Structure formats: structure tokens, C-alpha cells
Amino acid sequence: GMVSRLARRLEREPDDLNGWLMLGRSYAAMSQASLALRAYERADRLAGGRNAEALIGIAHPDVRGELRAEFAARRHMTLTGP
């Protein structure tokens, strides 16, 4: 789909700040918190910590909450098995 095409384009054009922001928004809308966080972190590095959208994306409670849930689920599976 469109998101995978964007991700592939960013592999070729890794300095595209707006592309990373769009990818972060797209992953967040798809409830892909860990991927959204990675995209926002990449945008933040490119912007030198001066892009509000990247910082908000990194700190957004939905992204952080989903990451906590993902981590807890993975940890539970590791402790209890599949």
C-alpha cells in the first residue's frame, strides 16, 4: 500500500524530514506504535530536536501507551511461552 511505498522511498531518501513525519502519522493511524515511534525519532534527529510534530509524536500518550501494551504483551509471552 501507500505506507509501504513511502517506507521504501525513505530508504532511498533518508533525509526527507516531511516523509518521516508522514510515515509516523501513518503508522500511528494504523496503531503501529513502535514503527510510528521510530519514524518520529528519525524525524527528530533530522530536525535536530527542533520539530514540534516529531517531538509531540514521540511523546504522544497513544504512542507511548501502545508501546507499553506491546512491551507487556511481549514480556508476558516470553515469561509464559506462546
Side-chain angles (χ1 to χ4, degrees):
M2 289 178 62
V3 176
S4 59
R5 283 196 303 274
L6 176 58
R8 282 193 303 274
R9 184 176 65 75
L10 288 170
E11 288 175 8
R12 295 186 310 274
E13 301 172 26
D15 294 333
D16 180 358
L17 173 62
N18 288 323
W20 287 107
L21 292 170
M22 183 179 295
L23 190 62
R25 286 191 301 272
S26 299
Y27 282 140
M30 296 166 55
S31 297
Q32 298 289 322
S34 58
L35 295 173
L37 181 62
R38 277 192 262 167
Y40 282 128
E41 287 175 336
R42 182 63 179 261
D44 183 55
R45 281 194 304 277
L46 287 171
R50 294 183 305 273
N51 183 280
E53 184 179 351
L55 293 170
I56 290 168
I58 290 168
H60 197 279
D62 287 347
V63 171
R64 289 297 182 185
E66 287 177 30
L67 284 174
R68 280 193 294 275
E70 276 182 38
F71 176 76
R74 276 194 230 133
R75 185 167 174 231
H76 179 73
M77 286 189 69
T78 302
L79 295 174
T80 62

